[in-house]
Amino acid sequence: MMHDVIALAQDLIFRESVTPEDAGCQKLITSKLSAVGFDIESMVFEDTTNMWARRGSQQPVFCFAGHTDVVPPGDLALWNTPPFEPVIHNGMLYGRGAADMKGSLAAMLVATERFVKDYPNHKGSICYLITSDEEGPFINGTTRVVDTLEARNEKIDHCIVGEPSSSHLVGDVIKNGRRGSISGELMIKGKQGHVAYPDHVKNPIHLAAPALAELSQIMWDSGNDYFPPTSFQLTNVHSGTGATNVVPASFTALFNLRYSTELNDDVIIKKVEEVLKRHQLDFDIKWTFNGKPFITEPGTLLDSALAAISQVTGRKATLSTSGGTSDGRFIAPTGAEVIELGPCNATIHQINECVSCDDLIDLTEIYYQTLVNILC
């Protein structure tokens, strides 16, 4: 007989919820949670469907956070099976969102159903924060739900984000923090003219090069026990008219810094602009703030999750802050303990995305045992 978590994961994958569409996933989740005593609150902001569900009214508040949206499948001809028709082959569940993160959602729900049945009078509260805008511009999703909760002083104490954190086997890695991310769009102004008359022009490419070289070589920090050193990376440069005999009027560079808890946005902005001014550049710069760094140190949530992984799999999880950003960056600043714990990430966003069925079953047990460790 098929395990409940596999059947539910398939049901979710069937729904073509390409960001920011939810495609009825949250309706299915709502029906499951309502049946075990959760109060459901739908929060629709612009094109994004979000939900906040809660069972209980006391502290501590344990939250499962996740997203129902998936990235587009790409060229359908390259898939071995249709991306929204889940297939099990050699113990692997295939389909868009299998690993990121409909498998996790299914594991959360099945674990919660079982936990509430086994411990109907558990202490504290269990909550779900689900969005359809994690893979998109992340404007109207988790960040706005968190703003709503903060406005009414409704706090989360412990949060598991179901992002695919594992590397080889489920539970081998827990993400207990993330680096901050800040991007800049820099335009250096020059003076356009004919290359044959260099005294009549100001070449913005030549002007920009020394400053960008200096920025790329700065030792921003040394990192710390949880984070590697901060990195400045140029991601795109553009200039020119297309002609070989015209000095361009401007030069544009895009860059990003992934930074540790040793730095903050203000320090980065001040340093970058100081370098540009020292090189006497005429510039405009537009900053985009993608998320602040956060870390969850050993404590109730991390200790409980580590113990659950050991109890279920016998593994000792490695703690990591590597990778990109997640919606955990919106929840952690409220004071919540936040970790990411989910299946293996080897095929996320790829053609033929898949997840091990055994891993989903183990993940369900890990989530269940974490609930027991915190709320019993």
Side-chain angles (χ1 to χ4, degrees):
M1 183 178 295
M2 183 179 294
H3 194 286
D4 288 348
V5 71
I6 307 302
L8 182 53
Q10 288 181 306
D11 203 351
L12 288 166
I13 293 168
F14 265 120
R15 299 160 197 264
E16 298 186 29
S17 55
V18 175
T19 190
E21 295 298 323
D22 172 73
C25 291
Q26 290 181 35
K27 183 177 180 180
L28 174 59
I29 294 170
T30 294
S31 68
K32 292 281 188 180
L33 293 177
S34 296
V36 290
F38 279 76
D39 295 320
I40 310 297
E41 184 177 356
S42 179
M43 299 185 189
V44 179
F45 301 117
E46 307 300 333
D47 59 352
T48 301
T49 303
N50 308 289
M51 62 166 285
W52 171 250
R54 180 163 181 164
R55 185 182 195 274
S57 59
Q58 303 298 314
Q59 304 296 118
V61 176
F62 176 93
C63 179
F64 282 121
H67 60 91
T68 55
D69 59 321
V70 298
V71 296
D75 187 349
L76 300 182
L78 298 178
W79 284 75
N80 293 336
T81 57
F84 296 106
E85 296 179 17
V87 171
I88 297 174
H89 179 67
N90 290 334
M92 304 295 290
L93 172 61
Y94 287 83
R96 175 56 86 222
D100 189 13
M101 57 172 289
K102 292 182 175 180
S104 299
L105 293 175
M108 293 171 180
L109 288 164
V110 173
T112 300
E113 289 175 322
R114 179 179 154 205
F115 176 77
V116 170
K117 179 181 178 181
D118 291 348
Y119 302 98
N121 299 314
H122 62 82
K123 67 180 182 181
S125 304
I126 308 173
C127 297
Y128 275 70
L129 196 170
I130 307 296
T131 183
S132 70
D133 179 39
E134 196 274 344
E135 301 290 7
F138 55 81
I139 295 171
N140 295 309
T142 299
T143 182
R144 291 194 65 175
V145 177
V146 169
D147 288 345
T148 301
L149 298 177
E150 284 290 283
R152 63 196 194 200
N153 199 33
E154 191 168 0
K155 294 289 188 179
I156 296 169
D157 295 298
H158 318 293
C159 180
I160 291 181
V161 184
E163 292 292 342
S165 62
S166 303
S167 294
H168 304 291
L169 295 168
V170 69
D172 61 0
V173 175
I174 289 177
K175 302 288 176 116
N176 67 318
R178 289 287 192 168
R179 292 173 292 178
S181 174
I182 183 171
S183 301
E185 181 178 348
L186 171 66
M187 185 181 73
I188 306 296
K189 301 173 187 178
K191 183 180 179 182
Q192 182 174 315
H194 199 294
V195 297
Y197 300 92
D199 54 326
H200 294 167
V201 302
K202 290 176 63 178
N203 192 317
I205 302 173
H206 295 174
L207 296 171
L212 293 176
E214 180 177 338
L215 288 169
S216 70
Q217 296 300 313
I218 290 174
M219 186 69 174
W220 297 87
D221 61 42
S222 299
N224 55 35
D225 290 344
Y226 294 105
F227 293 95
T230 294
S231 172
F232 174 96
Q233 295 293 328
L234 285 165
T235 57
N236 188 285
V237 293
H238 175 75
S239 190
T241 65
T244 60
N245 61 350
V246 179
V247 171
S250 65
F251 171 89
T252 299
L254 306 182
F255 62 88
N256 177 271
L257 290 96
R258 296 299 168 102
Y259 64 99
S260 76
T261 48
E262 300 296 310
L263 284 179
N264 60 52
D265 297 340
D266 291 339
V267 171
I268 291 170
I269 292 170
K270 182 178 179 180
K271 182 62 176 177
V272 169
E273 295 188 355
E274 182 273 321
V275 170
L276 297 173
K277 290 173 182 176
R278 180 158 39 79
H279 283 267
Q280 299 182 335
L281 298 175
D282 184 4
F283 68 92
D284 289 327
I285 190 165
K286 177 183 177 183
W287 293 98
T288 300
F289 305 96
N290 305 307
K292 296 181 183 295
F294 72 90
I295 192 71
T296 294
E297 301 197 49
T300 300
L301 177 60
L302 193 53
D303 293 350
S304 296
L306 288 167
I309 292 169
S310 178
Q311 288 167 295
V312 174
T313 70
R315 298 178 194 122
K316 182 178 180 180
T318 299
L319 303 182
S320 172
T321 61
S322 66
T325 59
S326 79
D327 277 0
R329 68 192 188 275
F330 303 124
I331 301 168
T334 68
E337 294 183 320
V338 178
I339 63 171
E340 296 170 33
L341 175 56
C344 294
N345 53 31
T347 65
I348 60 174
H349 292 204
Q350 295 183 18
I351 302 297
N352 298 319
E353 179 182 351
C354 61
V355 66
S356 162
C357 292
D358 287 343
D359 276 0
L360 287 188
I361 293 170
D362 282 349
L363 183 61
T364 303
E365 294 300 313
I366 291 168
Y367 287 159
Y368 172 86
Q369 195 59 52
T370 302
L371 286 168
V372 171
N373 292 346
I374 293 178
L375 298 181
C376 291

